Amino acid sequence: MALKVVKVVVVAVINTLRKHLVKPLAKQLAKRRIKQTSHFQWGLLAVGVLGFCVPLMAAVLPEDRADILFHSYDGGGLTVNGPSLLARKQVGKSLSVWGKYYVDSLTSATIDVVSSASEYTEERIEQSVGFDFLHDKSTISLGYTNSAENDFVANTYNFGISHSMFGDLTTVSLGFTVGLDDVSSSVDPNLNESAERFKYRLNLSQVITKNMLMSATFETVTDEGFLESPYRRVRFLDPSDASGVGYQSEEYPETRTSHALAVNALYYLPYRAAVKIETRVFTDTWGINAAMYELGYTHPWRKHWIFEVKYRAYTQDQAEFYNDMFNGIDEFIYRARDKELSSLNTTSIGLGASYEFGSKSWRFIDRGSVNLMYDRYQIDYQNFRNETAVGFTPGTEPLYSQTADIVRFFVSVWY
Amino acid sequence: MKHLLLGMAVVLIISGCGIEPWVKPYERANLADPIMSFDRDPSATSYINHVHESRELSRGAESGQGGGCGCN
């Protein structure tokens, strides 16, 4: 109940922001030209001049660091695992370069797959490079990511700028991302589609007291192009078929625009421990409204250990064109039965432990840590029925739910 | 609207020049503790964000970035 009240209030705030701030800004950015006296420029002017007025401490580049991570997801007939390598190194005084290599090895026998096809395996490889350039109190970031699987290639370009002000009490960041996707199909060689994605992000991080930090992020994402799965189908009542059910391909709108607002807070407790609160609300043009909150507690123990526990809850409404069972073929122009578009609730409980090691006397490594994190993730779909259940009239099967075990094991070194 | 924004910018600029940090640098030991980071382990955060984004329809305003699908 409390979550619903929070959701209603914050969605109202988002709608107001969207009406008076985001729509004009998005319109200007979409036209790729910004008028001389636009609000956007006034905002940039204010941020820029503030930076020159206030006596500031210099911002810093991220630490030199490398991480090797093994991840595993197991739930709902889906197993995904693989390694991830991330390394960052400062070059000179002002530049920090980084690279990342990430693999998803996937074996899928999810309910979508077993109800229409057979189990399959595939691999996704993601490679990223980027740099951060520090100049006085500002950091400029550029990044590029290529993600490739047998039927989906995504190229993503990131640009960001952040500026520290008010004696490093406040950091403002702006981000812009362009994503270009190429979609094909392993069963239809003629399918060759594409999609474009644009992301606009504004972040404000603020020191509140000597024990408290807050951060607020607003992000708008627009998609245009082929947004549905080339494999997934919807089902509809079909009296002409012996089973009473017919199938046809999904059809999504070719555009989607979403807005998300996140507010996070960190509080340092008197006995060296930290409490974290994260909240996020979301709305989009497909009619999906969502809300998330997360509570976390971090507790160092003795010299080398850090333990973490967290609880996360998420709820979303379904897309306007989603239905578990349509009344007939071509009932609507747009149709979907992707379970992720259904109304759903998720909860997760996470535990983590880190052991820190190392010494300044080591030659190449300053310090390191060994980390293990485990999350128990529960998804309850509110309008997606278990089609594989037997003994039920189509459309009256029990609602589907799944539980997943998520493991992250990683070693980090600082040098 | 333009005049309002211009006025707000001018007020911010003028007042900004005179703002004194209310948390002094020597009072930030707790804030500098690694446990007071929103994203202490970027690889782990990026991965769990990807897990959520693949199974929940909301997106944006997370701390991680990524591309591709890898979902079903």
Side-chain angles (χ1 to χ4, degrees):
Chain A
M1 183 61 189
L3 187 61
K4 282 186 177 176
V5 172
V6 171
K7 190 172 79 172
V8 167
V9 171
V10 184
V11 166
V13 172
I14 280 188
N15 286 335
T16 306
L17 284 172
R18 185 172 56 177
K19 185 177 176 186
H20 296 291
L21 179 67
V22 177
K23 278 190 176 176
L25 180 61
K27 205 173 179 180
Q28 287 168 351
L29 289 170
K31 288 179 180 174
R32 310 280 174 91
R33 65 171 188 264
I34 300 171
K35 293 178 183 174
Q36 273 190 329
T37 53
S38 69
H39 307 162
F40 183 74
Q41 276 196 330
W42 284 121
L44 283 182
L45 177 68
V47 169
V49 178
L50 278 173
F52 287 105
C53 277
V54 181
L56 302 174
M57 294 166 58
V60 294
L61 287 168
E63 295 175 291
D64 288 352
R65 168 178 183 168
D67 294 83
I68 178 167
L69 178 143
F70 295 91
H71 59 85
S72 169
Y73 179 98
D74 187 357
L78 175 70
T79 60
V80 188
N81 51 50
S84 171
L85 301 167
L86 173 66
R88 175 183 282 279
K89 176 67 181 165
Q90 189 168 330
V91 180
K93 291 182 178 177
S94 303
L95 188 68
S96 175
V97 298
W98 60 271
K100 182 179 177 183
Y101 179 81
Y102 174 95
V103 178
D104 273 336
S105 297
L106 183 149
T107 302
S108 180
T110 63
I111 187 168
D112 307 300
V113 173
V114 296
S115 59
S116 60
S118 55
E119 177 183 310
Y120 69 93
T121 62
E122 69 175 13
E123 189 171 77
R124 181 175 79 90
I125 297 177
E126 182 183 304
Q127 300 172 88
S128 306
V129 291
F131 68 81
D132 299 289
F133 178 75
L134 175 68
H135 177 69
D136 199 7
K137 301 158 286 279
S138 300
T139 305
I140 294 171
S141 305
L142 279 176
Y144 166 71
T145 297
N146 171 268
S147 170
E149 48 201 297
N150 65 341
D151 53 4
F152 194 97
V153 177
N155 289 295
T156 307
Y157 306 86
N158 290 300
F159 170 76
I161 181 166
S162 68
H163 188 81
S164 177
M165 62 184 77
F166 303 138
D168 278 349
L169 294 185
T170 306
T171 302
V172 177
S173 305
L174 297 170
F176 176 59
T177 300
V178 177
L180 305 172
D181 299 348
D182 292 318
V183 186
S184 57
S185 168
S186 59
V187 296
D188 180 3
N190 296 319
L191 186 105
N192 187 14
E193 299 284 354
S194 63
E196 296 179 348
R197 305 178 193 277
F198 298 93
K199 301 181 180 181
Y200 311 93
R201 171 186 287 221
L202 172 65
N203 171 267
L204 176 73
S205 296
Q206 181 66 52
V207 173
I208 306 295
T209 70
K210 61 183 181 181
N211 290 314
M212 185 174 182
L213 299 170
M214 285 193 77
S215 168
T217 306
F218 185 82
E219 184 165 357
T220 292
V221 184
T222 64
D223 298 339
E224 185 171 355
F226 187 82
L227 304 180
E228 65 254 36
S229 162
Y231 308 109
R232 207 169 275 121
R233 307 174 304 170
V234 301
R235 62 176 184 166
F236 58 87
L237 295 172
D238 184 4
S240 66
D241 191 279
S243 67
V245 179
Y247 295 90
Q248 69 176 134
S249 61
E250 289 189 320
E251 191 72 36
Y252 289 13
E254 291 192 340
T255 60
R256 181 186 180 205
T257 300
S258 66
H259 310 287
L261 173 67
V263 178
N264 304 331
L266 263 171
Y267 189 78
Y268 191 95
L269 296 169
Y271 51 91
R272 199 188 172 218
V275 175
K276 182 161 76 171
I277 300 173
E278 295 190 20
T279 60
R280 184 159 57 104
V281 288
F282 171 91
T283 184
D284 75 3
T285 52
W286 286 2
I288 298 167
N289 295 308
M292 182 279 292
Y293 72 86
E294 182 175 318
L295 299 173
Y297 175 71
T298 305
H299 189 102
W301 185 64
R302 296 190 173 172
K303 191 178 176 183
H304 297 288
W305 291 92
I306 297 178
F307 294 99
E308 293 180 351
V309 59
K310 71 167 189 184
Y311 175 78
R312 181 182 186 275
Y314 169 86
T315 181
Q316 77 174 40
D317 302 331
Q318 69 179 39
E320 290 169 352
F321 52 91
Y322 172 88
N323 209 332
D324 181 64
M325 176 72 84
F326 288 87
N327 289 315
I329 190 169
D330 293 331
E331 185 184 9
F332 299 108
I333 296 172
Y334 298 122
R335 51 189 180 266
R337 195 178 172 259
D338 180 354
K339 62 185 182 301
E340 274 78 47
L341 270 65
S342 162
S343 51
L344 59 86
N345 301 320
T346 76
T347 54
S348 62
I349 294 173
L351 301 170
S354 301
Y355 180 80
E356 297 184 338
F357 61 89
S359 159
K360 292 283 184 187
S361 60
W362 289 13
R363 189 168 178 185
F364 298 110
I365 297 173
D366 292 336
R367 60 191 170 92
S369 67
V370 181
N371 311 267
L372 180 64
M373 296 177 176
Y374 168 78
D375 289 82
R376 182 80 166 173
Y377 185 48
Q378 170 79 29
I379 310 176
D380 295 307
Y381 300 92
Q382 304 300 304
N383 190 22
F384 180 83
R385 297 185 179 278
N386 185 352
E387 194 179 345
T388 60
V390 293
F392 297 91
T393 306
T396 66
E397 303 95 337
L399 292 169
Y400 183 67
S401 65
Q402 60 170 291
T403 304
D405 297 306
I406 305 166
V407 177
R408 291 166 284 170
F409 174 75
F410 59 100
V411 177
S412 305
V413 292
W414 287 260
Y415 42 83
Chain B
M1 188 65 181
K2 287 175 189 170
H3 297 296
L4 178 65
L5 284 171
L6 176 61
M8 289 172 64
V10 169
V11 169
L12 273 173
I13 290 164
I14 293 170
S15 61
C17 290
I19 285 179
E20 284 288 321
W22 58 88
V23 180
K24 307 291 185 192
Y26 56 81
E27 295 178 313
R28 300 179 193 175
N30 291 348
L31 301 177
D33 192 308
I35 65 171
M36 287 292 283
S37 171
F38 283 111
D39 186 16
R40 199 168 84 236
D41 298 302
S43 285
T45 304
S46 172
Y47 172 72
I48 204 71
N49 285 343
H50 175 62
V51 167
H52 293 146
E53 194 172 299
S54 300
R55 288 154 191 88
E56 302 166 356
L57 255 290
S58 71
R59 60 186 183 175
E62 307 106 334
S63 51
Q65 297 282 339
C69 182
C71 49
N72 203 340

